[in-house]
Amino acid sequence: MAGLVSKSSELVKLGITHARPVLQVWLQYAKVELTPPSFKDIPAIRSGFSKLITSARTGRYREVTVREAVINTLVAAEIYCWFFVGECIGKRRIVAYNP
């Protein structure tokens, strides 16, 4: 039994040493990606929307590479899923609203 406890404590220490760099990278990305937009980001957001509208009008969206199309599809799916997660959190249940 003592051997099992010592092996499990070694395994936990090993897991912590391997997880620490991964968590540091995750935290670095989380600080950048999970922050709400600031006032200095608003001009970039406006230009992005204007580029989106002009590409829809001119048909430039048909000239997108397959890689960009896949990335755009994944981003749209992520936004769609987060919308429904927010809805479930807001109504406090998965199936329907509380009558």
Side-chain angles (χ1 to χ4, degrees):
M1 189 67 164
L4 181 64
V5 171
S6 67
K7 291 280 186 183
S8 64
S9 66
E10 290 175 16
L11 186 62
V12 168
K13 288 178 186 176
L14 184 66
I16 289 172
T17 57
H18 285 298
R20 187 167 285 142
V22 174
L23 290 175
Q24 287 175 347
V25 170
W26 181 84
L27 185 61
Q28 179 184 4
Y29 285 128
K31 285 180 182 177
V32 174
E33 295 292 331
L34 296 177
T35 58
S38 63
F39 289 116
K40 66 180 181 180
D41 296 333
I42 292 176
I45 294 170
R46 282 187 180 166
S47 70
F49 277 127
S50 66
K51 287 180 185 177
L52 182 68
I53 291 171
T54 57
S55 69
R57 286 182 183 163
T58 61
R60 182 150 166 76
Y61 63 90
R62 290 181 252 160
E63 299 172 8
V64 175
T65 63
V66 174
R67 178 182 170 91
E68 291 174 355
V70 169
I71 290 172
N72 291 340
T73 303
L74 290 175
V75 168
E78 181 183 7
I79 292 170
Y80 185 74
C81 290
W82 278 115
F83 171 77
F84 282 109
V85 167
E87 280 285 314
C88 291
I89 291 171
K91 63 186 176 184
R92 295 188 180 139
R93 59 186 69 231
I94 294 176
V95 178
Y97 287 99
N98 192 8

